[in-house]
Amino acid sequence: MLGQWGVAKNKLDQIDITYQGRDYWRLLSLYWLSIEDYSEAFLVHQKALRKYPDDDFVWNNYGVLLGQKEHWDEACAAFEKAGAKGLIRRQSVQINLSRCAIRQNQVNLAEIYLKQAKEIADLPLIGLMTELNLVLIQGSNDKARLIFNNIQADKETARGSVHFDEYNCLSRHLIARETDPTLYSSASNFTCLNGSRY
C-alpha cells in the first residue's frame, strides 16, 4: 500500500513454501499487477487460479489484467466469476461489472451493479468516473456536473491516477454538453471507457 514494491517482494520471497496459501497467492498476484509486469502477472494469476479456482480476489485482478490487453469479453467473464464465487460482494468487482455492462451497452445492468457498489461504501475515484460515464450516457447533465464536482474535489488524485485519460475525456464531454445542451439532450452510446483499464 505504501508503494514499497522491492520490500514487499522481499517479504513474499521469505515465505516458506509450506505457508504459501491463499493469502500468499493473492499478495503475489497483486504485486506483479501493481508493478505492471503483465507477462509475469499473467503467469502468477493463472497459477493462483489453478490452486484456488474459487478465489474472487484473484479472478477480479485477472479481469483487470485481461482488460489491460483489451480482451474485454474475457475480462468481463473473469469479473462475472469473481462476482459469482465471492462469499461477500466486493465493491471493486461490482464497479468492474458495471464498466463491463457499459461497454456492452447494457445501461440498466450497469446502473444495478453501480448501485450495489454504492451500497458497500462510498465510491472511490474509479467508481465516480464509472458513474459519470453512466449518467452522461443517460443524458443527465445536471447529475453529471454534481459527480464531476466530487471528482474535481480530489483532482490531484484523478490527475495522478491510471485513469487520467478517462478523466480528461469525461471533462471534455461534460463541458461540450453544458456548452451546447441541444446537441446532447437525450441518451447516447457515448463512452470514455475505451482504452482505459478496469
Side-chain angles (χ1 to χ4, degrees):
M1 291 182 72
L2 297 174
Q4 297 178 0
W5 307 122
V7 175
K9 183 63 166 66
N10 185 43
K11 296 292 183 188
L12 285 168
D13 289 344
Q14 292 176 26
I15 297 173
D16 188 87
I17 195 165
T18 56
Y19 297 106
Q20 293 178 3
R22 182 183 301 266
D23 288 337
Y24 168 83
W25 285 99
R26 283 180 171 185
L27 290 170
L28 187 64
S29 65
L30 185 59
Y31 165 78
W32 289 109
L33 178 62
S34 297
I35 66 163
E36 300 180 355
D37 184 335
Y38 300 127
S39 56
E40 188 64 30
F42 266 105
L43 295 173
V44 169
H45 277 78
Q46 289 167 346
K47 190 169 183 181
L49 288 170
R50 281 194 298 276
K51 289 177 173 287
Y52 301 100
D54 294 329
D55 192 283
D56 59 325
F57 181 91
V58 178
W59 274 114
N60 186 53
N61 286 346
Y62 188 55
V64 171
L65 275 173
L66 291 164
Q68 286 287 356
K69 296 286 189 184
E70 298 188 6
H71 298 168
W72 306 123
D73 291 340
E74 294 171 64
C76 291
F79 296 136
E80 286 170 13
K81 285 182 183 176
K85 293 177 182 297
L87 297 176
I88 58 167
R89 280 199 176 124
R90 288 185 186 274
Q91 188 180 50
S92 58
V93 173
Q94 300 310 115
I95 292 169
N96 286 334
L97 286 169
S98 180
R99 292 170 75 80
C100 282
I102 290 172
R103 284 186 188 281
Q104 297 162 349
N105 295 318
Q106 297 177 320
V107 176
N108 292 338
L109 184 58
E111 193 168 26
I112 290 168
Y113 285 132
L114 201 59
K115 183 177 180 231
Q116 291 170 348
K118 289 165 88 172
E119 288 169 356
I120 295 168
D122 290 340
L123 292 177
L125 176 63
I126 186 59
L128 288 171
M129 290 199 292
T130 303
E131 186 175 32
L132 182 52
N133 262 287
L134 186 58
V135 298
L136 285 172
I137 290 168
Q138 294 168 326
S140 179
N141 294 345
D142 290 341
K143 190 172 180 184
R145 171 48 68 184
L146 289 173
I147 296 165
F148 188 74
N149 287 346
N150 284 339
I151 293 171
Q152 280 207 306
D154 199 9
K155 190 166 33 180
E156 290 309 312
T157 302
R159 286 183 178 157
S161 80
V162 293
H163 300 287
F164 181 63
D165 290 342
E166 184 173 336
Y167 169 79
N168 283 335
C169 176
L170 289 165
S171 176
R172 284 192 306 272
H173 278 280
L174 178 59
I175 290 166
R177 285 166 184 245
E178 290 175 334
T179 304
D180 192 352
T182 57
L183 288 177
Y184 303 101
S185 58
S186 61
S188 73
N189 61 357
F190 139 88
T191 178
C192 276
L193 297 178
N194 291 335
S196 71
R197 59 181 274 178
Y198 279 105

